[in-house]
Amino acid sequence: MPTAIVTGPHAAGPAAPLADDLRALGFQVVEADTPDAVAELLAQAPAEDRVAVVDRRFVGHRHALRLALTDPRFDAAAVPGAVSARPAARQALTGALAALAAAPVAAGPRAADGAAPTAPLPDALADALDAQGAAPYRPELGVLVAAVPADSAGRAAAEAAVAAVDEESVRLRSAVKSRDGFFTTHFISPYSRYLARWCARRGLTPNQVTTASLLVALIAAGCAATGTRGGYVAAGVLLLASFVLDCTDGQLARYSLQYSTLGAWLDATFDRAKEYAYYAGLALGAARGGDDVWALALGAMVLQTCRHVVDFAFTEANHDAAANTSPTAALSGRLDSVGWTVWVRRMVVLPIGERWALIAVLTAVTTPRITFVVLLVGCGLAACYTTAGRVLRSLTRRAQRTDRAAQALADLADSGPLAEAGARALRPLARRMPVFVPPVVALIGAAAVTATAALASRGSWWPVLAAAFYVLTSAFAVARPLKGALDWLVPPFFRAGEYGTVLALAAVSGVNGALPAAFGLVAAVAYHHYDTVYRIRGGTGAPPRALVRAAGGHEGRTLVVALMAALAHHTGFTVALTVLAVALALLVLTESVRFWVSSAAPAVHDESGEPA
């Protein structure tokens, strides 16, 4: 159980209200009159527990304390009058207390009654942590109050400020992301935040709500798979209900600060699982009505996954770029200051809220084929808009990419043993090439293998030769660090090459069941790529190289699928695709589950805005 140490001068009066707030936040409360007593209590607290030091004179909102003392994403956090440390920061906090004992902090403001001043120990500890390079997180409080008044007049003013703010209203507002899509902001969040509060008051966790969202989406997919009009209508309604729960789980996490490593994994993967399972349900429903739309379903998954890779790769390439200036970015910033352009630009990229609403409505009133065609056109236009803007930003940005960014792009590339060996052999030549060569070579290779697969006849060996060429171009593209202005395009080109080849070979094979099997294979590989993204975003790096090599890398899998299409171009092709899909799914899921439930996994939660 976490421990809160209340310290400070007893002349400030009883600490009972403060103690009640701390106990309501799950802390056991102990008191210490001197820094030496605080140090002794810190040493006695179990090493695996969070500890907090709070000044007994603290006046403020309970939620301000909650932000500083209970957020699991940060090893240390502080607001005026309170500081906390998780186990990883306990040693730093003890060191800060020792440093204060060796060099006392300058006295604070003199009280109005002339009494000797007493600096708040928690604030001094937070400053000492800063000096040690272990800076605590300091949450934005906004209108919330957190203060340590120096005298009775200051205390009265702080208490009046506390009374003037509706704390619950602030918590509800802060539960909603500051940057969400138009549909989510205006049609979901106005009531989903209250659903989040309802869940919090009944002890439900974000993970439970996330799981409920997945189950509702899977039921929606099952309804779509019936192929009946009633099933399609129910599927559309349930898909929207699933999205409401999807918004609620994040709002519940922010409302009650219930972040977790398992929640990070569920949140990162279930959105994609829900959407792609729904695609499969629509394809099954269409098949019941005699319409084969598996190629469209797989195309929609390929396009959406490639869009995400563009987003992720561009973000990682510019995560810590120096001299990050661009006229295009400046124009974008100006447009974001005009109300109506903000919403238009958020809607035109078809983020998850708008996209799911579109899919739900089209499912209910049209056919799966129309749904997929409209979705492909809309997402295609959105992809062109966002990618063109990022290319312009990259070409006009005068920035120096870092080694970290280059490593992140190399990890996102997902190169296997064949590309690694080729890159070592081609490195001397690649270093003499212009900076624009890697993305151009990657594009040429991806376009060549995809086009050859789409145009070749069943059982042809031309796709195998094109896949071998793709291995060569893939190796050349990553033969040197990806620090060029457009090198962030390399991973999306690789994804398009691999996924597009699988789609094309399955489509032209004419083998019964090949496209559904290809859908499963791409879904398994896409999970591996999403898993890589969220590990990098969490700061823990990509999956182990041994796993990437065992999975073959994008170029190895492309070559294997091309060989399977040439050698087993009858019913065996479906069996081969299915076996490969199952093997890869077991491989990547086993290692992924092991990582995300381990203590090393980061609590990654996207707070930047609604994802695509």
Side-chain angles (χ1 to χ4, degrees):
M1 185 176 185
T3 300
I5 303 170
V6 176
T7 187
H10 281 280
L18 174 61
D20 290 342
D21 284 340
L22 293 171
R23 292 190 184 98
L25 296 177
F27 286 86
Q28 63 172 343
V29 180
V30 295
E31 296 197 27
D33 294 337
T34 65
D36 288 341
V38 172
E40 183 177 349
L41 289 172
L42 284 176
Q44 292 174 358
E48 68 276 9
D49 287 350
R50 177 193 287 269
V51 295
V53 180
V54 185
D55 194 290
R56 68 167 52 248
R57 296 166 295 179
F58 177 88
V59 176
H61 291 99
R62 180 181 294 177
H63 192 54
L65 285 173
R66 181 183 287 109
L67 292 172
L69 306 185
T70 68
D71 195 326
R73 296 172 298 172
F74 308 104
D75 289 334
V79 293
V83 63
S84 73
R86 299 180 66 218
R90 287 275 300 273
Q91 185 175 356
L93 184 65
T94 301
L97 189 59
L100 290 180
V105 176
R110 182 168 293 274
D113 58 7
T118 304
L121 179 60
D123 295 355
L125 286 172
D127 292 339
L129 287 172
D130 275 328
Q132 292 184 5
Y137 169 69
R138 300 177 188 270
E140 290 288 339
L141 297 180
V143 296
L144 294 175
V145 177
V148 180
D151 52 32
S152 57
R155 185 175 188 86
E159 290 173 345
V162 170
V165 174
D166 184 348
E167 181 178 6
E168 183 60 23
S169 177
V170 173
R171 285 188 71 187
L172 284 171
R173 287 199 306 270
S174 62
V176 179
K177 285 182 181 179
S178 58
R179 288 178 57 86
D180 257 337
F182 180 85
F183 178 77
T184 303
T185 299
H186 295 284
F187 293 94
I188 304 296
S189 292
Y191 59 87
S192 62
R193 69 184 74 181
Y194 295 101
L195 179 58
R197 182 174 66 181
W198 183 88
C199 292
R201 291 178 174 177
R202 281 152 185 81
L204 298 177
T205 67
N207 292 348
Q208 291 171 331
V209 178
T210 301
T211 303
S213 176
L214 174 66
L215 293 176
V216 172
L218 293 178
I219 295 172
C223 291
T226 62
T228 63
R229 178 52 52 196
Y232 289 147
V233 172
V237 172
L238 288 172
L239 185 64
L240 289 177
S242 174
F243 183 65
V244 172
L245 292 174
D246 182 57
C247 294
T248 300
D249 64 359
Q251 291 166 357
L252 174 58
R254 286 183 287 274
Y255 180 84
S256 55
L257 298 185
Q258 295 185 74
Y259 299 103
S260 67
T261 54
L262 178 61
W265 177 55
L266 297 179
D267 186 59
T269 57
F270 276 15
D271 279 352
R272 304 287 78 81
K274 288 181 286 190
E275 185 168 359
Y276 298 158
Y278 191 83
Y279 292 174
L282 281 177
L284 289 170
R288 286 180 176 272
D291 190 11
D292 187 354
V293 297
W294 275 106
L296 294 176
L298 180 50
M301 181 165 66
V302 169
L303 177 57
Q304 192 56 38
T305 304
C306 289
R307 284 186 64 198
H308 286 137
V309 176
V310 168
D311 294 343
F312 298 142
F314 178 80
T315 299
E316 290 303 323
N318 297 281
H319 182 271
D320 48 8
N324 195 358
T325 59
S326 165
T328 309
L331 174 61
S332 177
R334 287 195 295 272
L335 290 175
D336 274 343
S337 65
V338 181
W340 66 271
T341 63
V342 174
W343 294 119
V344 170
R345 295 174 71 222
R346 292 187 192 177
M347 293 173 64
V348 76
V349 299
L350 274 184
I352 187 171
E354 275 74 2
R355 189 170 67 253
W356 282 28
L358 177 68
I359 294 171
V361 171
L362 290 176
T363 299
V365 302
T366 65
T367 65
R369 178 172 292 275
I370 293 175
T371 300
F372 281 125
V373 169
V374 173
L375 181 64
L376 284 166
V377 171
C379 288
L381 293 174
C384 291
Y385 169 77
T386 55
T387 305
R390 286 165 180 169
V391 168
L392 287 175
R393 288 191 185 196
S394 300
L395 292 175
T396 57
R397 172 178 282 142
R398 296 181 295 276
Q400 182 65 41
R401 271 72 183 184
T402 63
D403 291 337
R404 177 200 175 280
Q407 183 59 53
L409 292 180
D411 291 334
L412 289 174
D414 192 36
S415 300
L418 296 177
E420 284 183 331
R424 285 193 294 269
L426 295 170
R427 189 163 294 129
L429 177 61
R431 286 173 175 169
R432 295 196 293 268
M433 294 293 105
V435 294
F436 61 82
V437 168
V440 171
V441 171
L443 174 60
I444 291 173
V449 69
T450 305
T452 303
L455 297 175
S457 59
R458 186 172 67 177
S460 171
W461 284 84
W462 283 110
V464 178
L465 295 177
F469 176 69
Y470 177 67
V471 171
L472 182 65
T473 56
S474 299
F476 193 82
V478 297
R480 68 181 186 191
L482 297 175
K483 293 186 177 182
L486 295 177
D487 282 358
W488 56 269
L489 286 169
V490 170
F493 286 153
F494 286 166
R495 296 297 84 77
E498 179 183 2
Y499 299 164
T501 300
V502 174
L503 167 59
L505 289 173
V508 302
S509 70
V511 177
N512 185 39
L515 278 168
F519 189 96
L521 175 59
V522 172
V525 177
Y527 176 86
H528 166 58
H529 291 144
Y530 281 115
D531 186 50
T532 300
V533 165
Y534 281 95
R535 293 196 197 199
I536 293 173
R537 290 178 61 178
T540 57
R545 286 302 304 166
L547 173 71
V548 176
R549 294 189 182 103
H554 69 95
E555 80 289 348
R557 291 187 296 268
T558 303
L559 182 59
V560 167
V561 173
L563 283 168
M564 291 192 309
L567 293 171
H569 52 271
H570 295 296
T571 55
F573 187 41
T574 298
V575 174
L577 287 174
T578 303
V579 170
L580 182 59
V582 172
L584 284 173
L586 290 175
L587 176 67
V588 300
L589 277 171
T590 300
E591 203 286 326
S592 177
V593 171
R594 179 208 63 77
F595 170 80
W596 285 102
V597 299
S598 72
S599 59
V604 180
H605 292 263
D606 181 16
E607 303 297 328
S608 59
E610 186 168 281

